[in-house]
Amino acid sequence: MFETGAVPAGCHLLGDSGYGSKSWLLTPYLRPQPGYQLNYNRAHKKTRSVVERGIGQWKRRFHVLHSEIRLTPAAKVCKISFVCAILHNICKDRNIQLLLEDEDGHGQPPSEDNLQMADDDDDDNRVEASPAGIKPGSECHTGKSFK
């Protein structure tokens, strides 16, 4: 989507240093010089950390996101991701806690002993429901429109 210009100008992806250079991909400097390069790398690391935490919460809440989703047509995968993002954000807005898993992998509500309270930084872990313009009526990576 980025290489074909289907994403609005000014939108970028964050990547780690293993990715090659692309105009739409922001990666850290390999050997940053003191000053702006080092500051950039610090900001990049902090932003990626927030994104990774949010994705981790998203995957814990919706186990379908743990592995490849094989559906036909492929546009259904976009719908599933989109709906999971919306539901995750509703849960975050209403402070609905993630279920804790027991040894058998079954979700259980948190007890008072292990209740995890949301902190102020938790708002940063919302999942962007339309990171690349993916929203109802738009095109998914397959080029097919969905509603």
Side-chain angles (χ1 to χ4, degrees):
M1 291 179 71
F2 281 85
E3 290 179 352
T4 62
V7 177
C11 291
H12 297 85
L13 291 178
L14 287 178
D16 61 30
S17 57
Y19 287 95
S21 179
K22 303 280 185 187
S23 62
W24 43 265
L25 181 64
L26 302 175
T27 58
Y29 288 96
L30 294 177
R31 289 175 284 290
Q33 299 297 313
Y36 76 90
Q37 289 183 355
L38 193 58
N39 291 340
Y40 169 84
N41 275 13
R42 285 183 185 136
H44 186 277
K45 181 178 179 180
K46 184 177 179 182
T47 304
R48 280 205 59 224
S49 176
V50 169
V51 170
E52 293 296 329
R53 249 188 346 266
I55 290 171
Q57 287 181 4
W58 200 26
K59 285 181 169 183
R60 284 190 303 278
R61 193 177 300 276
F62 301 103
H63 289 264
V64 69
L65 301 174
H66 274 278
S67 60
E68 181 179 359
I69 303 171
R70 294 182 178 198
L71 289 174
T72 305
K76 287 184 180 180
V77 175
C78 290
K79 286 183 183 181
I80 289 171
S81 299
F82 182 72
V83 169
C84 287
I86 291 170
L87 292 173
H88 174 76
N89 290 342
I90 290 170
C91 290
K92 298 292 288 182
D93 288 344
R94 296 182 180 185
N95 201 25
I96 298 171
Q97 302 296 316
L98 293 169
L99 294 178
L100 301 176
E101 289 187 4
D102 59 19
E103 291 90 34
D104 298 328
H106 297 97
Q108 298 180 2
S111 68
E112 287 191 30
D113 294 338
N114 57 15
L115 183 62
Q116 299 171 341
M117 298 303 291
D119 57 24
D120 292 340
D121 291 338
D122 235 15
D123 287 341
D124 294 338
N125 295 330
R126 292 174 54 90
V127 176
E128 181 61 43
S130 56
I134 299 174
K135 53 190 170 214
S138 69
E139 292 186 358
C140 189
H141 70 280
T142 61
K144 296 181 181 177
S145 180
F146 69 95
K147 293 177 178 62

